[in-house]
Amino acid sequence: MKVAFNLLVIGADIGMQHARQLERLKALGYDAVEIPVFSGSEQHYAALGRLLADIGLVAGAAAVATPQANPVSADASIRAKARDHHRWIVDRTAAMGGEIIAGPLHSPVGVFTGFGPTPEEFDRCVEAMRALADYAAPAGIRISAEAVNRFECYMMSTIAQASAIHQAVNHPNYGYMFDTFHANIEEKDPPATYERYHGEINHFHVSENDRGVPGSGHVPFAAHFDALRRCGYDGWLTVESFGRALPELAGATRVWRDLFDDLDSLFAESVAFIRREWAAAGERMA
């Protein structure tokens, strides 16, 4: 198990200028970071990968589909752009030595048709995810598509939807993510849902109900950690909290206020919480 931090709360362009913050994360006890892969050259990500390796942090990518490169669009030219965008993400992730790409890769956040996904959109999504997983496999990069709540996405909002797509993709390099924030909205019993589908889930986001510091709200984290332990989870536990550093993301996620005191407090309190809860779950199993 690795404790990780999603750096979108800092910004969309992580680079050498963030060395001190990356060193601070390592000093606090983090094992890995999710790096936003939204723009930049392969040389940029290669240099960032060397920095992370020197610090001792494992790299992963946080990535998204875009409206201009929508994998489920009815327009074949837009789907072709989505394929190229997915390959671009894989190439940048490989350049920094990343081992996983996680996020709403299946469809753009904030884009709606007014209806649920059609059978045609489902098929396009499956085709795109299978192609992405196939392209990423030679680089040893796992794919983890994110189920995003109905107010941000319609293609994959529930774990049941994620599972249906996963089963249709049927690729050993493809899985999906469980995010406690989204599950808190969409699932009747989030910990039980995780247990039911755990064999397909290859990534886990630790996110409070208000996107603030984990453990400060009402997400039932003790039950979540018990379920993770029972199911033998050994992947990443990634803190995801949002702020207002990235205006586009703040707008998409509806973050209009500060959700934590400062970044260092968020870093320190989050890793301490995860380590404490993970240990406590182990003690309850003993």
Side-chain angles (χ1 to χ4, degrees), residues 123-142:
D123 291 343
R124 293 174 200 138
C125 184
V126 169
E127 181 182 4
M129 295 298 95
R130 187 182 295 127
L132 171 59
D134 203 43
Y135 187 78
I141 298 170
R142 293 173 287 121

Side-chain angles (χ1 to χ4, degrees), residues 245-268:
L246 184 60
E248 299 89 342
L249 186 64
T253 55
R254 308 300 189 261
V255 175
W256 314 125
R257 66 184 188 276
D258 293 329
L259 302 174
F260 46 85
D261 292 337
D262 56 72
L263 278 174
D264 198 68
S265 295
L266 173 65
F267 294 162

